[in-house]
Amino acid sequence: MQENVRLPTPQIGANGKSAGLSFVGLIVHNLGTRRVRTALTALAVAIAVMAVVTLGVLTDSLKSSAAEVLSAGNADFTVAQKSVSDLLNSVVTDTQVAKIASTPGVASAVGVLVATIKLDPAHPLFLEIGITPESLSPFGVHVVAGRAYDATAPDEVMLGWQAADEFGKKVGSSIVMDGNRLRVVGIYSTGQVFADSASMMPLAILQARERKPATVTLTVVRVTKGASIEGVRRAIEQANPNLATVRSATEYGRVDRNLQFLGAAQTGARIIALVIGVIIVMNTMLLSFVERIREFGVLRAIGWSRSRLLGLVLGEAVGISFLGAGLGVGFAFVLTWGLQRFSPLRGILQAQFTAEEFWTALYAAIFIGVLAALYPSARAAMLRPGASLRRE
Amino acid sequence: MTHATNASIEQGEPQIALGMNAEAPASTPVLEAVNVDVVYGEFYALVAANLSVAPGEWVAVTGPSGSGKSTLLQLFAAVDQPTSGSVRFQGVDLANRRHLDRYRRIEVGHVFQLHNLLPHLDAKRNIEIAMFGTHRGRQARSDHATELLSLFELTAQAGHKPPEMSGGERQRVAIARALANNPAVILADEPTGSLDPEGAAKIITVFDRLHRTEGTTIVMVTHDSEIASAADRVIQLEGGRIT
């Protein structure tokens, strides 16, 4: 000990670090010191985040896959039966299609019948679109190879270019669909992934096969130049109370209650995942709090304020949350990737990770971390230093 | 004043600022315990204790184990509250003081009986965290911690964590931490308890220098009568009563 006390020149410490410890640095240090606990807590956050993100990605993917039916046609909007359980169960009669076509402001109204078949185990929901040959062009279909089918040919089919590519079919090939051997007479393109991965055939043939005479699933409508799309929509809905018009994927729920249920189920599942995450993380943080009572007592005894201690514990929770968010997104990506390759979902699930999902992950992680840390941090802040220091 | 240490003390102006933040009027005791009882369940740790410590005074509190020495010190450090009676700093009852954390941080420097260093932080950082919430910025905290480590000949141990240090080194780090904010009062609970005679003498030398040259008030708990004799006044506690 220096008895001849002289102020030493500030120097680099023996640990080789000249910079002092910041509050954030202390938080990071504390997390790094308790690596296993930090990792396990971040893992708990990550699992909850994974559930939240995966549910979001899956639901959005299913919604957009389903809603692509609406965008398959080159239309201003689509008309379908209101509030059916599934859009494919929508029934629009020929009479209604004619009525829609005669509505002022409507340039064209094309009725299409949509059905699904199990083509093979890898394609459990292959789409068949029944449409008259003369409606192909108004529907936005371009025949890129071969020709269009005849209006009454029972064994002719056109494949979207992506479907043809995937199955290795070309004009002249045959394909077995629902037990019927059909001849591929043309390859088409619509510019829509959903339609280009499907097949098209004569409307009358598909109506007969599906036992849905004189009905279609939906009607795609184009309005005349200069007409108000919203005005035409209102007119059609007023004239046909059991029909609903849909202009975007977000309006899809108006005609498909399954989608509404899916959204509600997603919200419920996300809430459950968050609650479970909060409970698990709070349990871990409470254990950590009990282990650190003496440490908190020392900090209070050397003059740390309640708010600083609160900030320390909450700061550590936020740090863990960031770790958990990163891990959770990674887990969600891997899980979704696996689910896309899971046979029953192949072809249906086309997961897309958007920036929104990353924000969702971050919000969810911080929500879990902070909510779970509130009680332990409040208890830490309220500790009496004397009692904490007496604790063994 | 009686000095028990044989260590030499450098006379003259100090080179490092270790002094009082605030001075009480000479007539006002810096610390007071007035009719203080502390009861844990049915155990009376302190009974009607009255003690007044003048500014700049060095008081040693001695007594057998369980006599209430540490309890008295913890009351002065505001880490515990009396069951009855009052504890005052510069005439103000600590129970009425709004910011006790500021009192603990600035006005008093607490040297704990068991060091109470955070085991996951190195020596320098253990000192730095005592300066959080003061006017010092990050670099200033670092510089001051380095100065204190140098003062206690712990520069080589700056990056060592408490489990990697000897008992004496830990105790010196604990004292350095207590001095970090230049407190008016040092409250030291067995500051030489884990030290060999030479190490104990060095600690007492530092206290003596602070007391004599900086006017720092010191309340020191010890069971060592030789160490106690370094103080201006020795208080004896027995069975929770000041005798």
Side-chain angles (χ1 to χ4, degrees):
Chain A
M1 225 159 307
Q2 289 184 9
E3 288 156 12
N4 183 5
V5 179
R6 291 203 176 279
L7 185 67
T9 306
Q11 55 187 277
I12 295 174
N15 57 0
K17 294 169 186 168
S18 61
L21 183 66
S22 65
F23 187 66
V24 173
L26 179 63
I27 289 170
V28 173
H29 174 91
N30 284 349
L31 293 177
T33 300
R34 301 172 180 86
R35 285 190 193 88
V36 174
R37 185 175 291 282
T38 299
L40 289 176
T41 313
L43 189 64
V45 174
I47 290 170
V49 168
M50 178 189 70
V52 169
V53 172
T54 306
L55 283 167
V57 169
L58 292 185
T59 311
D60 290 346
S61 168
L62 292 174
K63 275 182 185 175
S64 60
S65 290
E68 275 195 68
V69 171
L70 302 174
S71 57
N74 182 17
D76 289 318
F77 59 86
T78 304
V79 183
Q81 190 179 348
K82 192 184 285 181
S83 298
V84 285
S85 60
D86 186 314
L87 180 66
L88 297 185
N89 293 334
S90 162
V91 174
V92 182
T93 64
D94 283 352
T95 310
Q96 287 174 317
V97 175
K99 198 172 171 184
I100 291 166
S102 64
T103 303
V106 172
S108 68
V110 177
V112 293
L113 183 64
V114 182
T116 57
I117 56 163
K118 182 177 180 179
L119 203 60
D120 56 47
H123 302 87
L125 291 170
F126 184 66
L127 208 64
E128 296 175 312
I129 301 171
I131 182 169
T132 58
E134 62 272 21
S135 298
L136 288 173
S137 182
F139 194 61
V141 179
H142 304 286
V143 180
V144 294
R147 60 169 176 82
Y149 42 76
D150 289 335
T152 54
D155 60 345
E156 291 186 354
V157 68
M158 286 203 303
L159 292 179
W161 70 268
Q162 285 188 327
D165 193 45
E166 187 172 353
F167 303 140
K169 303 292 183 185
K170 51 190 178 185
V171 175
S173 301
S174 62
I175 184 169
V176 177
M177 293 170 64
D178 209 16
N180 302 303
R181 181 170 292 277
L182 306 176
R183 192 158 46 92
V184 178
V185 295
I187 309 293
Y188 68 86
S189 168
T190 64
Q192 301 288 342
V193 176
F194 202 68
D196 289 345
S197 302
S199 63
M200 289 189 183
M201 61 187 61
L203 175 62
I205 301 302
L206 189 60
Q207 284 174 329
R209 192 184 300 160
E210 294 293 318
R211 294 180 179 81
K212 291 180 177 176
T215 62
V216 292
T217 309
L218 45 89
T219 305
V220 290
V221 177
R222 295 195 72 179
V223 301
T224 53
K225 196 172 181 181
S228 161
I229 294 174
E230 292 306 317
V232 175
R233 286 177 68 184
R234 274 197 301 276
I236 291 172
E237 288 187 351
Q238 282 169 1
N240 304 276
N242 73 322
L243 300 183
T245 61
V246 181
R247 200 177 175 191
S248 65
T250 52
E251 294 179 349
Y252 191 79
R254 298 185 70 201
V255 294
D256 194 321
R257 277 187 299 170
N258 279 352
L259 212 64
Q260 292 173 325
F261 295 146
L262 193 63
Q266 178 213 35
T267 304
R270 278 180 155 184
I271 290 171
I272 291 169
L274 286 173
V275 169
I276 292 171
V278 167
I279 291 170
I280 293 172
V281 175
M282 186 184 286
N283 186 45
T284 312
M285 298 201 93
L286 270 174
L287 281 174
S288 176
F289 159 76
V290 171
E291 286 175 4
R292 297 173 69 187
I293 282 181
R294 192 176 177 86
E295 175 187 340
F296 296 144
V298 170
L299 292 172
R300 292 282 288 135
I302 64 172
W304 273 44
S305 63
R306 292 184 198 280
S307 58
R308 188 169 297 275
L309 203 53
L310 195 76
L312 179 75
V313 180
L314 285 177
E316 290 177 13
V318 170
I320 288 171
S321 299
F322 277 113
L323 277 175
L327 279 174
V329 169
F331 290 166
F333 189 81
V334 171
L335 183 63
T336 311
W337 183 85
L339 286 173
Q340 279 180 295
R341 278 143 191 81
F342 184 49
S343 175
L345 292 172
R346 199 176 298 164
I348 303 169
L349 190 62
Q350 292 173 335
Q352 288 181 330
F353 278 86
T354 61
E356 191 184 347
E357 297 303 336
F358 287 97
W359 284 117
T360 301
L362 193 61
Y363 292 147
I366 290 177
F367 174 83
I368 291 168
V370 171
L371 200 66
L374 272 181
Y375 177 60
S377 60
R379 279 193 65 182
M382 299 307 290
L383 281 173
R384 290 188 165 194
S388 311
L389 290 171
R390 280 191 291 274
R391 196 180 177 93
E392 291 301 325
Chain B
M1 188 187 310
T2 308
H3 297 284
T5 175
N6 293 322
S8 65
I9 299 165
E10 179 81 2
Q11 299 292 327
E13 289 300 312
Q15 301 295 310
I16 188 167
L18 294 170
M20 294 177 66
N21 286 305
E23 283 192 20
S27 57
T28 308
V30 67
L31 285 171
E32 267 184 299
V34 182
N35 289 323
V36 167
D37 291 332
V38 175
V39 186
Y40 298 121
E42 295 182 356
F43 174 70
Y44 279 74
L46 280 177
V47 183
N50 286 286
L51 178 62
S52 183
V53 181
E57 191 180 15
W58 184 353
V59 175
V61 182
T62 64
S65 297
S67 60
K69 306 186 295 296
S70 295
T71 303
L72 181 63
L73 205 73
Q74 291 195 336
L75 293 180
F76 283 148
V79 298
D80 262 333
Q81 292 173 326
T83 308
S84 63
S86 67
V87 178
R88 298 172 189 165
F89 174 74
Q90 294 177 342
V92 178
D93 193 335
L94 290 180
N96 298 329
R97 198 175 163 117
R98 284 185 63 198
H99 299 292
L100 275 182
D101 47 280
R102 189 184 185 283
Y103 169 77
R104 297 186 198 112
R105 185 167 64 244
I106 304 293
E107 310 290 6
V108 297
H110 195 167
V111 182
F112 300 91
Q113 189 174 12
L114 298 172
H115 321 301
N116 278 333
L117 299 175
L118 301 190
H120 56 86
L121 293 178
D122 62 33
K124 184 162 171 269
R125 287 172 170 175
N126 259 293
I127 297 169
E128 285 179 49
I129 59 165
M131 290 181 268
F132 279 12
T134 65
H135 65 280
R136 286 192 174 93
R138 184 178 167 187
Q139 190 60 51
R141 291 196 298 264
S142 173
D143 292 344
H144 192 52
T146 304
E147 290 162 12
L148 288 164
L149 287 168
S150 175
L151 178 68
F152 286 91
E153 295 178 356
L154 288 164
T155 302
Q157 285 76 31
H160 292 188
K161 291 177 180 171
E164 300 161 358
M165 291 187 280
S166 69
E169 288 169 343
R170 285 201 289 266
Q171 188 65 298
R172 278 145 60 197
V173 174
I175 295 170
R177 182 179 65 182
L179 299 177
N181 296 318
N182 308 331
V185 178
I186 292 175
L187 303 168
D189 196 352
E190 300 281 8
T192 60
S194 57
L195 305 180
D196 57 24
E198 187 186 357
K202 286 180 175 177
I203 295 294
I204 294 305
T205 301
V206 172
F207 280 4
D208 185 79
R209 184 185 58 76
L210 289 169
H211 169 58
R212 291 201 300 114
T213 62
E214 306 294 330
T216 305
T217 306
I218 300 172
V219 180
M220 177 181 72
V221 166
T222 181
H223 61 267
D224 186 323
S225 57
E226 191 180 352
I227 296 293
S229 65
D232 299 334
R233 184 156 57 110
V234 178
I235 303 296
Q236 182 76 23
L237 266 170
E238 197 152 339
R241 297 175 190 276
I242 295 175
T243 58

